[in-house]
Amino acid sequence: MVSSPIQQAAALLKQGEVVVIPTETVYGLAADACNNQAVSRIYEIKGRPRFNPLIIHVSSIEMAQSYAIFSPLALLLTEQFWIQEKRSLTLVLPKKGGHLSSLVTAGLETVAVRLPQHSIALEIIKACGFPLAAPSANLSEQVSPTSSLAVGQSLKDKTPFLVEGGDCKIGLESTILDVSRDVPLLLRPGECTKEELEKLLKTTIFLPSSYDPVRAPGMMKRHYAPDLPMRLNVLEPHPKEFFITFGPPSCEHPYTRSLSISGDLCEAAANLFAILNETSQFQEICTGIAVMPIPNESIGMAINDRLKRASMFGG
Ligand code: TXA
Ligand code: MG
């Protein structure tokens, strides 16, 4: 009998192989989070610096509790956002037991845990029975892939077995909230917004005040860099710039892509990485990328965060 892609993926993962899995945020490069050698293959494929820790993906709160210590506040967050609302929230928690590969936590006393809201990802994890370490399935410093095509474009002949799951619904990586200490810290904005988290927790959530490579390594400045230099908050692009717009078209420009013509921030988030990826095809033709202002509210905060980091490095 021919086994399904999900069964094939689980079998490979059990053998210590790396597999590309779809999630609702972006495609992930997954391996057994308890197998050091398997996890080291992720770093090898991505060309990723070793100090950057990985998120473990679980299929239930019970599985998560074997690897991380959940405070009542952390349980409240998982009940609300993982189970009830099915949102893309990663929690940084104190780690528990010695099962995880030390490469996953990069020597930290905490671990980042997430329940993906994608049936294929959940079925693969369930079939494995262990959590999967999975960074986005792209080479280090490139934008995260939101389709299997984008995975192939980034990893090329290094692409391992890939489970097709269509386009990612959210299109931006998960929100990362650090609740391992007394003060909750928003390490990475995402689909689950600061306002929503504050409303449930009835407390102020802080942003990491400055770039801190240990506490918020995802803030690595080249993390989202496209190949061309990028300017933000531009209303009038230069003639040879690739123009990324938001809202109804305001001017005629030869190289234009709209994040959302209707001005919908969720649609813009889902399109962001695909459009940033697309700019690489204009390297020879365009001199740079210009981006229209994006409202800095709800998921727009996450979009602006990614754009700001992409614009810090160019060319
Ligand atoms: O949506 C997502 O979260 C995707 C999909 C594949 O699940 N994954 C993802 O993983 O974006 P990655 O490895 O590209 O980003 C994980 C981020 C990194 O910035 C890492 O530094 C941070 O999580 N991180 C992981 N463990 C941490 C910890 N213990 N403390 C602080 N930050 C941590
Ligand atoms: Mg990434």
Side-chain angles (χ1 to χ4, degrees), residues 18-234:
V18 174
V19 164
V20 178
I21 62 165
T23 84
E24 83 287 9
T25 57
V26 299
Y27 275 76
L29 196 56
D32 177 353
C34 302
N35 180 335
N36 237 340
Q37 232 176 330
V39 176
S40 72
R41 288 272 301 131
I42 296 178
Y43 286 92
E44 192 188 332
I45 293 172
K46 277 185 77 83
R48 175 176 235 191
R50 298 254 151 166
F51 55 78
N52 212 0
L54 305 175
I55 296 172
I56 66 163
H57 296 66
V58 295
S59 54
S60 65
I61 296 184
E62 291 68 40
M63 187 188 266
Q65 282 177 318
S66 307
Y67 302 92
I69 300 166
F70 281 74
S71 63
L73 179 133
L75 278 177
L76 181 73
L77 285 161
T78 52
E79 276 300 333
Q80 182 69 27
F81 292 112
W82 288 8
I83 308 300
Q84 309 253 338
E85 295 189 22
K86 306 202 183 306
R87 308 291 292 278
S88 308
L89 174 67
T90 296
L91 293 175
V92 173
L93 302 163
K95 94 179 163 190
K96 178 172 168 186
H99 315 294
L100 290 173
S101 152
S102 56
L103 285 175
V104 166
T105 49
L108 299 173
E109 283 310 303
T110 53
V111 59
V113 190
R114 162 164 134 74
L115 184 93
Q117 307 293 350
H118 193 294
S119 59
I120 295 177
L122 289 172
E123 280 183 50
I124 293 171
I125 301 165
K126 264 187 220 146
C128 287
F130 47 73
L132 298 178
S136 50
N138 53 275
L139 294 186
S140 190
E141 300 179 354
Q142 295 186 352
V143 296
S144 301
T146 57
S147 66
S148 55
L149 186 74
V151 174
Q153 281 168 348
S154 181
L155 298 180
K156 303 208 167 69
D157 58 0
K158 286 160 88 183
T159 310
F161 182 79
L162 180 150
V163 183
E164 178 63 60
D167 287 350
C168 301
K169 212 174 85 203
I170 305 292
L172 269 189
E173 304 93 340
S174 57
T175 302
I176 304 182
L177 184 70
D178 184 342
V179 287
S180 67
R181 305 183 205 191
D182 38 357
V183 182
L185 258 192
L186 187 71
L187 298 186
R188 182 169 73 184
E191 182 256 346
C192 195
T193 66
K194 185 168 172 285
E195 294 79 11
E196 291 170 311
L197 293 164
E198 285 177 335
K199 197 171 157 203
L200 179 75
L201 298 182
K202 300 190 178 61
T203 174
T204 307
I205 288 168
F206 292 89
L207 305 172
S209 47
S210 57
Y211 166 64
D212 173 354
V214 177
R215 197 100 202 261
M219 305 287 177
M220 270 175 70
K221 83 175 177 194
R222 275 199 59 180
H223 205 89
Y224 298 94
D227 302 311
L228 289 164
M230 184 184 251
R231 299 192 301 136
L232 304 182
N233 299 315
V234 176

